[in-house]
Amino acid sequence: MEEQKATNVVWHELSVSQADREKLRGHKGVTLWFTGLSASGKSTLANAAASALHQRGVGTFVLDGDNIRQGLNKNLGFSPEDRVENIRRIGEVAKLFSTAGIVNLTAFISPYEADRNTARDQQPETFLLVYCKADIEVCESRDPKGMYKKARAGQIKDFTGVNAPYEEPSRPDLVVDTGKKTLEACVAEVISLVERRGFVKAAK
Ligand SMILES: Nc1ncnc2c1ncn2[C@@H]1O[C@H](COP(=O)(O)OP(=O)(O)OP(=O)(O)O)[C@@H](O)[C@H]1O
Ligand SMILES: [Mg+2]
């Protein structure tokens, strides 16, 4: 991680604690970090799971790759240094949401194990890695944004799965077969994970 530039900075304790906030909301904050190839279903699944939880009164927020690159990270590109900084910042924002007691769901390809580990290390107790597993052939046949077509035509360099690597997670908390299962079945698996791990109470 980059060294801290500012000196004479003192942490100010917050008057409302994380436990207070969680008591108010009736559930805990956690980051569900979705990783997988483009078109594997990260955004679709994260949003569907957020909607299902929201309907149960759970506070949620989805952090999505392209949206973040238009705002917080608009000064970052796709160089190796910028990719690292991109994930570091997203990880810090996700951690803030967890501390605020929100179930936050991040949808970034995040192809490198080292970067995913950085995000986990930022909040080890409140981080769950969800691997959206779908074959490249399935993803390419979906191609909802036409990205694979562009990448195959040589219009995008460093496109994950085509001309840049995707490192499969070595220790995901959940593997969801988004290539074969229905969206509803995948949502149920994600919800079951947050219930099992005690972040959200099971539905009555
Ligand atoms: N079980 C499933 N889970 C999620 N998406 C599915 C599933 N089955 C089919 N799909 C379809 O797959 C596509 C996934 O696209 P989506 O934009 O969610 O992918 P993504 O992983 O966010 O890609 P990117 O990294 O490019 O943002 C959608 O068209 C969605 O309807
Ligand atoms: Mg997406």
Side-chain angles (χ1 to χ4, degrees):
M1 193 191 290
E2 230 172 84
E3 69 177 279
Q4 186 172 323
K5 284 189 182 160
T7 53
N8 298 322
V9 181
V10 181
W11 184 268
H12 194 111
E13 283 307 323
L14 306 180
S15 58
V16 179
S17 72
Q18 186 164 350
D20 293 335
R21 283 188 293 270
E22 289 174 352
K23 202 170 161 201
L24 182 77
R25 293 181 183 281
H27 62 80
K28 295 183 177 173
V30 63
T31 294
L32 288 164
W33 189 281
F34 292 79
T35 176
L37 293 172
S38 179
S40 61
K42 302 177 295 298
S43 298
T44 304
L45 181 52
N47 279 283
S51 296
L53 288 166
H54 180 84
Q55 279 180 6
R56 282 168 50 174
V58 174
T60 62
F61 197 80
V62 176
L63 293 163
D64 204 299
D66 286 354
N67 302 7
I68 296 286
R69 281 193 177 275
Q70 288 180 41
L72 177 70
N73 289 357
K74 69 170 154 193
N75 64 331
L76 299 178
F78 291 90
S79 68
E81 309 79 57
D82 281 8
R83 280 179 189 265
V84 170
E85 179 60 11
N86 183 45
I87 297 294
R88 189 194 71 80
R89 284 188 205 170
I90 292 157
E92 287 293 337
V93 173
K95 181 183 170 183
L96 286 174
F97 273 99
S98 297
T99 312
I102 302 289
V103 175
N104 55 101
L105 310 94
T106 72
F108 303 89
I109 297 175
S110 38
Y112 299 113
E113 179 92 345
D115 292 344
R116 297 187 297 255
N117 286 341
T118 300
R120 184 187 285 278
D121 290 345
Q122 285 166 324
Q123 46 165 337
E125 305 299 321
T126 47
F127 183 95
L128 298 173
L129 186 65
V130 180
Y131 176 27
C132 295
K133 194 170 165 44
D135 291 342
I136 181 98
E137 293 78 19
V138 172
C139 296
E140 199 159 350
S141 70
R142 291 175 175 169
D143 205 10
K145 298 188 269 188
M147 295 295 187
Y148 284 95
K149 206 166 168 221
K150 277 193 188 168
R152 293 285 179 206
Q155 290 164 14
I156 310 177
K157 63 177 179 100
D158 299 336
F159 192 75
T160 303
V162 175
N163 41 25
Y166 179 80
E167 295 173 3
E168 289 208 313
S170 62
R171 46 178 187 138
D173 294 280
L174 179 68
V175 181
V176 200
D177 191 351
T178 51
K180 295 202 185 93
K181 291 189 178 167
T182 64
L183 179 58
E184 291 67 32
C186 296
V187 168
E189 288 183 28
V190 170
I191 301 230
S192 160
L193 173 71
V194 285
E195 290 176 348
R196 259 195 335 268
R197 299 290 181 95
F199 292 101
V200 171
K201 286 192 203 95
K204 285 177 198 132

PDB file of all heavy atoms in Angstrom, residues 39-76:
ATOM      1  N   ALA A  39     -19.370 -10.256 -18.271  1.00  0.00           N
ATOM      2  CA  ALA A  39     -20.618 -10.954 -18.665  1.00  0.00           C
ATOM      3  C   ALA A  39     -20.854 -12.243 -17.881  1.00  0.00           C
ATOM      4  O   ALA A  39     -21.774 -13.003 -18.210  1.00  0.00           O
ATOM      5  CB  ALA A  39     -20.685 -11.219 -20.160  1.00  0.00           C
ATOM      6  N   SER A  40     -20.042 -12.486 -16.845  1.00  0.00           N
ATOM      7  CA  SER A  40     -20.311 -13.675 -16.018  1.00  0.00           C
ATOM      8  C   SER A  40     -21.556 -13.446 -15.164  1.00  0.00           C
ATOM      9  O   SER A  40     -22.162 -14.406 -14.678  1.00  0.00           O
ATOM     10  CB  SER A  40     -19.098 -14.007 -15.135  1.00  0.00           C
ATOM     11  OG  SER A  40     -18.803 -12.938 -14.268  1.00  0.00           O
ATOM     12  N   GLY A  41     -21.933 -12.186 -14.947  1.00  0.00           N
ATOM     13  CA  GLY A  41     -23.170 -11.919 -14.203  1.00  0.00           C
ATOM     14  C   GLY A  41     -22.992 -11.198 -12.880  1.00  0.00           C
ATOM     15  O   GLY A  41     -23.914 -11.158 -12.058  1.00  0.00           O
ATOM     16  N   LYS A  42     -21.847 -10.576 -12.667  1.00  0.00           N
ATOM     17  CA  LYS A  42     -21.580  -9.893 -11.382  1.00  0.00           C
ATOM     18  C   LYS A  42     -22.603  -8.786 -11.114  1.00  0.00           C
ATOM     19  O   LYS A  42     -23.207  -8.734 -10.039  1.00  0.00           O
ATOM     20  CB  LYS A  42     -20.162  -9.272 -11.395  1.00  0.00           C
ATOM     21  CG  LYS A  42     -19.049 -10.267 -11.641  1.00  0.00           C
ATOM     22  CD  LYS A  42     -17.707  -9.594 -11.727  1.00  0.00           C
ATOM     23  CE  LYS A  42     -17.519  -8.653 -12.881  1.00  0.00           C
ATOM     24  NZ  LYS A  42     -17.627  -9.274 -14.223  1.00  0.00           N
ATOM     25  N   SER A  43     -22.777  -7.883 -12.082  1.00  0.00           N
ATOM     26  CA  SER A  43     -23.694  -6.751 -11.880  1.00  0.00           C
ATOM     27  C   SER A  43     -25.131  -7.244 -11.740  1.00  0.00           C
ATOM     28  O   SER A  43     -25.878  -6.785 -10.868  1.00  0.00           O
ATOM     29  CB  SER A  43     -23.609  -5.775 -13.051  1.00  0.00           C
ATOM     30  OG  SER A  43     -22.316  -5.233 -13.144  1.00  0.00           O
ATOM     31  N   THR A  44     -25.510  -8.183 -12.591  1.00  0.00           N
ATOM     32  CA  THR A  44     -26.879  -8.705 -12.564  1.00  0.00           C
ATOM     33  C   THR A  44     -27.165  -9.371 -11.222  1.00  0.00           C
ATOM     34  O   THR A  44     -28.191  -9.101 -10.582  1.00  0.00           O
ATOM     35  CB  THR A  44     -27.065  -9.730 -13.713  1.00  0.00           C
ATOM     36  OG1 THR A  44     -26.723  -9.084 -14.939  1.00  0.00           O
ATOM     37  CG2 THR A  44     -28.489 -10.238 -13.782  1.00  0.00           C
ATOM     38  N   LEU A  45     -26.248 -10.217 -10.782  1.00  0.00           N
ATOM     39  CA  LEU A  45     -26.451 -10.950  -9.525  1.00  0.00           C
ATOM     40  C   LEU A  45     -26.370 -10.019  -8.313  1.00  0.00           C
ATOM     41  O   LEU A  45     -27.190 -10.116  -7.394  1.00  0.00           O
ATOM     42  CB  LEU A  45     -25.414 -12.079  -9.427  1.00  0.00           C
ATOM     43  CG  LEU A  45     -25.475 -12.978  -8.208  1.00  0.00           C
ATOM     44  CD1 LEU A  45     -26.872 -13.554  -8.000  1.00  0.00           C
ATOM     45  CD2 LEU A  45     -24.454 -14.113  -8.327  1.00  0.00           C
ATOM     46  N   ALA A  46     -25.400  -9.103  -8.320  1.00  0.00           N
ATOM     47  CA  ALA A  46     -25.259  -8.174  -7.180  1.00  0.00           C
ATOM     48  C   ALA A  46     -26.533  -7.340  -7.034  1.00  0.00           C
ATOM     49  O   ALA A  46     -27.054  -7.164  -5.924  1.00  0.00           O
ATOM     50  CB  ALA A  46     -24.043  -7.268  -7.387  1.00  0.00           C
ATOM     51  N   ASN A  47     -27.060  -6.862  -8.144  1.00  0.00           N
ATOM     52  CA  ASN A  47     -28.276  -6.035  -8.088  1.00  0.00           C
ATOM     53  C   ASN A  47     -29.500  -6.851  -7.685  1.00  0.00           C
ATOM     54  O   ASN A  47     -30.340  -6.371  -6.917  1.00  0.00           O
ATOM     55  CB  ASN A  47     -28.501  -5.332  -9.427  1.00  0.00           C
ATOM     56  CG  ASN A  47     -27.647  -4.081  -9.543  1.00  0.00           C
ATOM     57  OD1 ASN A  47     -27.963  -3.054  -8.963  1.00  0.00           O
ATOM     58  ND2 ASN A  47     -26.532  -4.180 -10.239  1.00  0.00           N
ATOM     59  N   ALA A  48     -29.602  -8.068  -8.204  1.00  0.00           N
ATOM     60  CA  ALA A  48     -30.756  -8.914  -7.849  1.00  0.00           C
ATOM     61  C   ALA A  48     -30.699  -9.289  -6.368  1.00  0.00           C
ATOM     62  O   ALA A  48     -31.730  -9.282  -5.674  1.00  0.00           O
ATOM     63  CB  ALA A  48     -30.772 -10.164  -8.724  1.00  0.00           C
ATOM     64  N   ALA A  49     -29.518  -9.586  -5.861  1.00  0.00           N
ATOM     65  CA  ALA A  49     -29.376  -9.928  -4.438  1.00  0.00           C
ATOM     66  C   ALA A  49     -29.669  -8.701  -3.580  1.00  0.00           C
ATOM     67  O   ALA A  49     -30.334  -8.800  -2.535  1.00  0.00           O
ATOM     68  CB  ALA A  49     -27.965 -10.460  -4.165  1.00  0.00           C
ATOM     69  N   ALA A  50     -29.201  -7.523  -4.032  1.00  0.00           N
ATOM     70  CA  ALA A  50     -29.465  -6.282  -3.279  1.00  0.00           C
ATOM     71  C   ALA A  50     -30.969  -6.019  -3.219  1.00  0.00           C
ATOM     72  O   ALA A  50     -31.495  -5.663  -2.159  1.00  0.00           O
ATOM     73  CB  ALA A  50     -28.740  -5.111  -3.947  1.00  0.00           C
ATOM     74  N   SER A  51     -31.674  -6.215  -4.319  1.00  0.00           N
ATOM     75  CA  SER A  51     -33.128  -5.992  -4.341  1.00  0.00           C
ATOM     76  C   SER A  51     -33.834  -6.950  -3.381  1.00  0.00           C
ATOM     77  O   SER A  51     -34.727  -6.541  -2.630  1.00  0.00           O
ATOM     78  CB  SER A  51     -33.689  -6.213  -5.750  1.00  0.00           C
ATOM     79  OG  SER A  51     -33.156  -5.268  -6.617  1.00  0.00           O
ATOM     80  N   ALA A  52     -33.433  -8.208  -3.412  1.00  0.00           N
ATOM     81  CA  ALA A  52     -34.073  -9.207  -2.544  1.00  0.00           C
ATOM     82  C   ALA A  52     -33.841  -8.858  -1.074  1.00  0.00           C
ATOM     83  O   ALA A  52     -34.757  -8.941  -0.255  1.00  0.00           O
ATOM     84  CB  ALA A  52     -33.528 -10.601  -2.856  1.00  0.00           C
ATOM     85  N   LEU A  53     -32.628  -8.430  -0.736  1.00  0.00           N
ATOM     86  CA  LEU A  53     -32.319  -8.060   0.650  1.00  0.00           C
ATOM     87  C   LEU A  53     -33.056  -6.777   1.035  1.00  0.00           C
ATOM     88  O   LEU A  53     -33.590  -6.660   2.142  1.00  0.00           O
ATOM     89  CB  LEU A  53     -30.807  -7.885   0.828  1.00  0.00           C
ATOM     90  CG  LEU A  53     -29.990  -9.183   0.816  1.00  0.00           C
ATOM     91  CD1 LEU A  53     -28.510  -8.888   0.652  1.00  0.00           C
ATOM     92  CD2 LEU A  53     -30.226  -9.981   2.100  1.00  0.00           C
ATOM     93  N   HIS A  54     -33.088  -5.824   0.122  1.00  0.00           N
ATOM     94  CA  HIS A  54     -33.767  -4.541   0.367  1.00  0.00           C
ATOM     95  C   HIS A  54     -35.239  -4.781   0.732  1.00  0.00           C
ATOM     96  O   HIS A  54     -35.776  -4.160   1.648  1.00  0.00           O
ATOM     97  CB  HIS A  54     -33.656  -3.660  -0.879  1.00  0.00           C
ATOM     98  CG  HIS A  54     -34.303  -2.328  -0.750  1.00  0.00           C
ATOM     99  ND1 HIS A  54     -33.676  -1.248  -0.162  1.00  0.00           N
ATOM    100  CD2 HIS A  54     -35.535  -1.903  -1.101  1.00  0.00           C
ATOM    101  CE1 HIS A  54     -34.502  -0.215  -0.171  1.00  0.00           C
ATOM    102  NE2 HIS A  54     -35.634  -0.583  -0.735  1.00  0.00           N
ATOM    103  N   GLN A  55     -35.854  -5.707   0.010  1.00  0.00           N
ATOM    104  CA  GLN A  55     -37.269  -6.025   0.277  1.00  0.00           C
ATOM    105  C   GLN A  55     -37.476  -6.583   1.675  1.00  0.00           C
ATOM    106  O   GLN A  55     -38.564  -6.510   2.221  1.00  0.00           O
ATOM    107  CB  GLN A  55     -37.782  -7.038  -0.748  1.00  0.00           C
ATOM    108  CG  GLN A  55     -38.164  -6.368  -2.048  1.00  0.00           C
ATOM    109  CD  GLN A  55     -38.667  -7.352  -3.087  1.00  0.00           C
ATOM    110  OE1 GLN A  55     -38.848  -8.535  -2.819  1.00  0.00           O
ATOM    111  NE2 GLN A  55     -38.891  -6.852  -4.288  1.00  0.00           N
ATOM    112  N   ARG A  56     -36.416  -7.130   2.233  1.00  0.00           N
ATOM    113  CA  ARG A  56     -36.486  -7.655   3.601  1.00  0.00           C
ATOM    114  C   ARG A  56     -36.077  -6.625   4.633  1.00  0.00           C
ATOM    115  O   ARG A  56     -35.888  -6.938   5.800  1.00  0.00           O
ATOM    116  CB  ARG A  56     -35.558  -8.882   3.719  1.00  0.00           C
ATOM    117  CG  ARG A  56     -36.167 -10.120   3.107  1.00  0.00           C
ATOM    118  CD  ARG A  56     -35.180 -11.243   2.950  1.00  0.00           C
ATOM    119  NE  ARG A  56     -34.419 -11.547   4.159  1.00  0.00           N
ATOM    120  CZ  ARG A  56     -33.593 -12.582   4.251  1.00  0.00           C
ATOM    121  NH1 ARG A  56     -33.451 -13.411   3.229  1.00  0.00           N
ATOM    122  NH2 ARG A  56     -32.925 -12.800   5.349  1.00  0.00           N
ATOM    123  N   GLY A  57     -35.860  -5.390   4.186  1.00  0.00           N
ATOM    124  CA  GLY A  57     -35.521  -4.322   5.122  1.00  0.00           C
ATOM    125  C   GLY A  57     -34.038  -4.205   5.417  1.00  0.00           C
ATOM    126  O   GLY A  57     -33.631  -3.536   6.375  1.00  0.00           O
ATOM    127  N   VAL A  58     -33.219  -4.852   4.600  1.00  0.00           N
ATOM    128  CA  VAL A  58     -31.768  -4.789   4.788  1.00  0.00           C
ATOM    129  C   VAL A  58     -31.218  -3.607   3.984  1.00  0.00           C
ATOM    130  O   VAL A  58     -31.568  -3.436   2.810  1.00  0.00           O
ATOM    131  CB  VAL A  58     -31.111  -6.117   4.329  1.00  0.00           C
ATOM    132  CG1 VAL A  58     -29.590  -6.021   4.379  1.00  0.00           C
ATOM    133  CG2 VAL A  58     -31.603  -7.279   5.184  1.00  0.00           C
ATOM    134  N   GLY A  59     -30.360  -2.802   4.607  1.00  0.00           N
ATOM    135  CA  GLY A  59     -29.717  -1.683   3.924  1.00  0.00           C
ATOM    136  C   GLY A  59     -28.636  -2.196   2.991  1.00  0.00           C
ATOM    137  O   GLY A  59     -27.745  -2.927   3.414  1.00  0.00           O
ATOM    138  N   THR A  60     -28.733  -1.821   1.718  1.00  0.00           N
ATOM    139  CA  THR A  60     -27.773  -2.342   0.733  1.00  0.00           C
ATOM    140  C   THR A  60     -27.226  -1.214  -0.139  1.00  0.00           C
ATOM    141  O   THR A  60     -27.835  -0.147  -0.248  1.00  0.00           O
ATOM    142  CB  THR A  60     -28.455  -3.354  -0.225  1.00  0.00           C
ATOM    143  OG1 THR A  60     -29.480  -2.682  -0.950  1.00  0.00           O
ATOM    144  CG2 THR A  60     -29.028  -4.530   0.517  1.00  0.00           C
ATOM    145  N   PHE A  61     -26.095  -1.483  -0.771  1.00  0.00           N
ATOM    146  CA  PHE A  61     -25.580  -0.578  -1.799  1.00  0.00           C
ATOM    147  C   PHE A  61     -24.678  -1.362  -2.743  1.00  0.00           C
ATOM    148  O   PHE A  61     -23.862  -2.171  -2.296  1.00  0.00           O
ATOM    149  CB  PHE A  61     -24.797   0.593  -1.190  1.00  0.00           C
ATOM    150  CG  PHE A  61     -24.628   1.723  -2.174  1.00  0.00           C
ATOM    151  CD1 PHE A  61     -25.658   2.606  -2.401  1.00  0.00           C
ATOM    152  CD2 PHE A  61     -23.453   1.868  -2.903  1.00  0.00           C
ATOM    153  CE1 PHE A  61     -25.539   3.636  -3.338  1.00  0.00           C
ATOM    154  CE2 PHE A  61     -23.314   2.888  -3.836  1.00  0.00           C
ATOM    155  CZ  PHE A  61     -24.365   3.779  -4.049  1.00  0.00           C
ATOM    156  N   VAL A  62     -24.856  -1.128  -4.055  1.00  0.00           N
ATOM    157  CA  VAL A  62     -24.026  -1.807  -5.049  1.00  0.00           C
ATOM    158  C   VAL A  62     -22.968  -0.833  -5.570  1.00  0.00           C
ATOM    159  O   VAL A  62     -23.293   0.280  -5.998  1.00  0.00           O
ATOM    160  CB  VAL A  62     -24.878  -2.338  -6.231  1.00  0.00           C
ATOM    161  CG1 VAL A  62     -23.978  -2.962  -7.299  1.00  0.00           C
ATOM    162  CG2 VAL A  62     -25.902  -3.358  -5.747  1.00  0.00           C
ATOM    163  N   LEU A  63     -21.725  -1.256  -5.505  1.00  0.00           N
ATOM    164  CA  LEU A  63     -20.620  -0.485  -6.094  1.00  0.00           C
ATOM    165  C   LEU A  63     -20.250  -1.182  -7.400  1.00  0.00           C
ATOM    166  O   LEU A  63     -19.817  -2.337  -7.386  1.00  0.00           O
ATOM    167  CB  LEU A  63     -19.411  -0.476  -5.153  1.00  0.00           C
ATOM    168  CG  LEU A  63     -19.583   0.274  -3.830  1.00  0.00           C
ATOM    169  CD1 LEU A  63     -18.506  -0.138  -2.831  1.00  0.00           C
ATOM    170  CD2 LEU A  63     -19.516   1.776  -4.061  1.00  0.00           C
ATOM    171  N   ASP A  64     -20.457  -0.502  -8.526  1.00  0.00           N
ATOM    172  CA  ASP A  64     -20.251  -1.155  -9.821  1.00  0.00           C
ATOM    173  C   ASP A  64     -19.099  -0.508 -10.587  1.00  0.00           C
ATOM    174  O   ASP A  64     -18.957   0.719 -10.584  1.00  0.00           O
ATOM    175  CB  ASP A  64     -21.551  -1.104 -10.633  1.00  0.00           C
ATOM    176  CG  ASP A  64     -21.612  -2.212 -11.663  1.00  0.00           C
ATOM    177  OD1 ASP A  64     -20.734  -2.237 -12.545  1.00  0.00           O
ATOM    178  OD2 ASP A  64     -22.503  -3.058 -11.576  1.00  0.00           O
ATOM    179  N   GLY A  65     -18.325  -1.348 -11.253  1.00  0.00           N
ATOM    180  CA  GLY A  65     -17.086  -0.933 -11.903  1.00  0.00           C
ATOM    181  C   GLY A  65     -17.168   0.327 -12.748  1.00  0.00           C
ATOM    182  O   GLY A  65     -16.488   1.322 -12.475  1.00  0.00           O
ATOM    183  N   ASP A  66     -18.006   0.295 -13.765  1.00  0.00           N
ATOM    184  CA  ASP A  66     -18.053   1.421 -14.699  1.00  0.00           C
ATOM    185  C   ASP A  66     -18.543   2.690 -14.009  1.00  0.00           C
ATOM    186  O   ASP A  66     -18.088   3.798 -14.333  1.00  0.00           O
ATOM    187  CB  ASP A  66     -18.962   1.096 -15.893  1.00  0.00           C
ATOM    188  CG  ASP A  66     -18.292   0.113 -16.856  1.00  0.00           C
ATOM    189  OD1 ASP A  66     -17.111  -0.188 -16.637  1.00  0.00           O
ATOM    190  OD2 ASP A  66     -18.938  -0.332 -17.806  1.00  0.00           O
ATOM    191  N   ASN A  67     -19.466   2.559 -13.064  1.00  0.00           N
ATOM    192  CA  ASN A  67     -19.982   3.733 -12.342  1.00  0.00           C
ATOM    193  C   ASN A  67     -18.858   4.408 -11.549  1.00  0.00           C
ATOM    194  O   ASN A  67     -18.719   5.630 -11.576  1.00  0.00           O
ATOM    195  CB  ASN A  67     -21.092   3.339 -11.370  1.00  0.00           C
ATOM    196  CG  ASN A  67     -22.266   2.654 -12.061  1.00  0.00           C
ATOM    197  OD1 ASN A  67     -22.191   2.363 -13.246  1.00  0.00           O
ATOM    198  ND2 ASN A  67     -23.321   2.405 -11.340  1.00  0.00           N
ATOM    199  N   ILE A  68     -18.047   3.604 -10.878  1.00  0.00           N
ATOM    200  CA  ILE A  68     -16.971   4.159 -10.047  1.00  0.00           C
ATOM    201  C   ILE A  68     -15.919   4.844 -10.922  1.00  0.00           C
ATOM    202  O   ILE A  68     -15.363   5.874 -10.560  1.00  0.00           O
ATOM    203  CB  ILE A  68     -16.312   3.036  -9.196  1.00  0.00           C
ATOM    204  CG1 ILE A  68     -17.331   2.451  -8.210  1.00  0.00           C
ATOM    205  CG2 ILE A  68     -15.074   3.540  -8.478  1.00  0.00           C
ATOM    206  CD1 ILE A  68     -17.670   3.307  -7.024  1.00  0.00           C
ATOM    207  N   ARG A  69     -15.703   4.275 -12.107  1.00  0.00           N
ATOM    208  CA  ARG A  69     -14.706   4.875 -13.011  1.00  0.00           C
ATOM    209  C   ARG A  69     -15.182   6.203 -13.608  1.00  0.00           C
ATOM    210  O   ARG A  69     -14.398   6.939 -14.182  1.00  0.00           O
ATOM    211  CB  ARG A  69     -14.322   3.883 -14.121  1.00  0.00           C
ATOM    212  CG  ARG A  69     -13.333   2.821 -13.644  1.00  0.00           C
ATOM    213  CD  ARG A  69     -12.738   2.065 -14.809  1.00  0.00           C
ATOM    214  NE  ARG A  69     -11.727   1.091 -14.392  1.00  0.00           N
ATOM    215  CZ  ARG A  69     -10.450   1.383 -14.180  1.00  0.00           C
ATOM    216  NH1 ARG A  69     -10.008   2.615 -14.337  1.00  0.00           N
ATOM    217  NH2 ARG A  69      -9.602   0.432 -13.819  1.00  0.00           N
ATOM    218  N   GLN A  70     -16.475   6.481 -13.480  1.00  0.00           N
ATOM    219  CA  GLN A  70     -16.976   7.771 -13.973  1.00  0.00           C
ATOM    220  C   GLN A  70     -16.923   8.845 -12.889  1.00  0.00           C
ATOM    221  O   GLN A  70     -17.122  10.025 -13.170  1.00  0.00           O
ATOM    222  CB  GLN A  70     -18.426   7.627 -14.452  1.00  0.00           C
ATOM    223  CG  GLN A  70     -18.521   6.842 -15.749  1.00  0.00           C
ATOM    224  CD  GLN A  70     -19.954   6.690 -16.229  1.00  0.00           C
ATOM    225  OE1 GLN A  70     -20.727   7.613 -16.166  1.00  0.00           O
ATOM    226  NE2 GLN A  70     -20.290   5.505 -16.698  1.00  0.00           N
ATOM    227  N   GLY A  71     -16.676   8.444 -11.641  1.00  0.00           N
ATOM    228  CA  GLY A  71     -16.673   9.417 -10.551  1.00  0.00           C
ATOM    229  C   GLY A  71     -15.394   9.333  -9.741  1.00  0.00           C
ATOM    230  O   GLY A  71     -14.340   9.834 -10.156  1.00  0.00           O
ATOM    231  N   LEU A  72     -15.474   8.651  -8.606  1.00  0.00           N
ATOM    232  CA  LEU A  72     -14.330   8.542  -7.685  1.00  0.00           C
ATOM    233  C   LEU A  72     -13.007   8.236  -8.397  1.00  0.00           C
ATOM    234  O   LEU A  72     -11.984   8.829  -8.099  1.00  0.00           O
ATOM    235  CB  LEU A  72     -14.639   7.442  -6.652  1.00  0.00           C
ATOM    236  CG  LEU A  72     -13.552   7.102  -5.643  1.00  0.00           C
ATOM    237  CD1 LEU A  72     -13.345   8.229  -4.640  1.00  0.00           C
ATOM    238  CD2 LEU A  72     -13.919   5.816  -4.885  1.00  0.00           C
ATOM    239  N   ASN A  73     -13.056   7.319  -9.347  1.00  0.00           N
ATOM    240  CA  ASN A  73     -11.810   6.861  -9.984  1.00  0.00           C
ATOM    241  C   ASN A  73     -11.660   7.340 -11.424  1.00  0.00           C
ATOM    242  O   ASN A  73     -11.013   6.693 -12.240  1.00  0.00           O
ATOM    243  CB  ASN A  73     -11.728   5.331  -9.926  1.00  0.00           C
ATOM    244  CG  ASN A  73     -11.462   4.845  -8.520  1.00  0.00           C
ATOM    245  OD1 ASN A  73     -11.286   5.662  -7.613  1.00  0.00           O
ATOM    246  ND2 ASN A  73     -11.438   3.547  -8.327  1.00  0.00           N
ATOM    247  N   LYS A  74     -12.248   8.499 -11.730  1.00  0.00           N
ATOM    248  CA  LYS A  74     -12.176   8.927 -13.130  1.00  0.00           C
ATOM    249  C   LYS A  74     -10.772   9.351 -13.553  1.00  0.00           C
ATOM    250  O   LYS A  74     -10.500   9.461 -14.745  1.00  0.00           O
ATOM    251  CB  LYS A  74     -13.215  10.002 -13.437  1.00  0.00           C
ATOM    252  CG  LYS A  74     -13.028  11.346 -12.834  1.00  0.00           C
ATOM    253  CD  LYS A  74     -14.067  12.215 -13.554  1.00  0.00           C
ATOM    254  CE  LYS A  74     -14.551  13.372 -12.836  1.00  0.00           C
ATOM    255  NZ  LYS A  74     -15.695  14.014 -13.356  1.00  0.00           N
ATOM    256  N   ASN A  75      -9.892   9.562 -12.598  1.00  0.00           N
ATOM    257  CA  ASN A  75      -8.511   9.904 -12.951  1.00  0.00           C
ATOM    258  C   ASN A  75      -7.634   8.652 -13.091  1.00  0.00           C
ATOM    259  O   ASN A  75      -6.424   8.761 -13.219  1.00  0.00           O
ATOM    260  CB  ASN A  75      -7.911  10.846 -11.901  1.00  0.00           C
ATOM    261  CG  ASN A  75      -7.806  10.200 -10.535  1.00  0.00           C
ATOM    262  OD1 ASN A  75      -8.602   9.315 -10.206  1.00  0.00           O
ATOM    263  ND2 ASN A  75      -6.840  10.606  -9.743  1.00  0.00           N
ATOM    264  N   LEU A  76      -8.244   7.467 -13.073  1.00  0.00           N
ATOM    265  CA  LEU A  76      -7.458   6.236 -13.193  1.00  0.00           C
ATOM    266  C   LEU A  76      -7.756   5.524 -14.503  1.00  0.00           C
ATOM    267  O   LEU A  76      -8.909   5.476 -14.947  1.00  0.00           O
ATOM    268  CB  LEU A  76      -7.775   5.279 -12.031  1.00  0.00           C
ATOM    269  CG  LEU A  76      -7.477   5.796 -10.620  1.00  0.00           C
ATOM    270  CD1 LEU A  76      -7.884   4.753  -9.591  1.00  0.00           C
ATOM    271  CD2 LEU A  76      -5.999   6.158 -10.468  1.00  0.00           C
TER     272      LEU A  76
END
